[in-house]
Amino acid sequence: MGAVTTAVIAIAGVVLGWITIEIACKPCLDKGREAIDRNLNPDYDPDDDLPSSAIRAHLNPNTSDPDPVPVPPPAASAVKSV
């Protein structure tokens, strides 16, 4: 009877540990499972995720300053030979 009790306690511990990990890491696990589902789906096209406006979007959309301050060129450094 002691072996059965030990086995039941061990199985209950594993189940509770699994539930704890599922609850604690839910956002990360959901993203991973979605990525796996997308990779295993033969009809999935990554280009469908992007809106059509994102293809021709500017690299720097925050161009609110019409006259930016010019940056001076870097100064030339002297090379010292020994």
Side-chain angles (χ1 to χ4, degrees):
M1 191 65 169
V4 173
T5 304
T6 303
V8 168
I9 291 172
I11 291 171
V14 168
V15 168
L16 288 175
W18 183 271
I19 291 171
T20 302
I21 291 172
E22 286 284 334
I23 291 171
C25 302
K26 184 171 178 58
C28 181
L29 291 173
D30 286 343
K31 288 180 185 177
R33 289 179 180 138
E34 288 174 10
I36 290 171
D37 290 342
R38 279 194 312 262
N39 284 335
L40 294 177
N41 184 2
D43 296 328
Y44 173 70
D45 186 10
D47 293 333
D48 291 341
D49 288 345
L50 298 174
S52 61
S53 62
I55 295 173
R56 300 189 190 279
H58 296 287
L59 294 177
N60 187 3
N62 298 329
T63 57
S64 60
D65 189 12
D67 202 17
V69 177
V71 178
S77 62
V79 177
K80 181 179 179 182
S81 61
V82 180

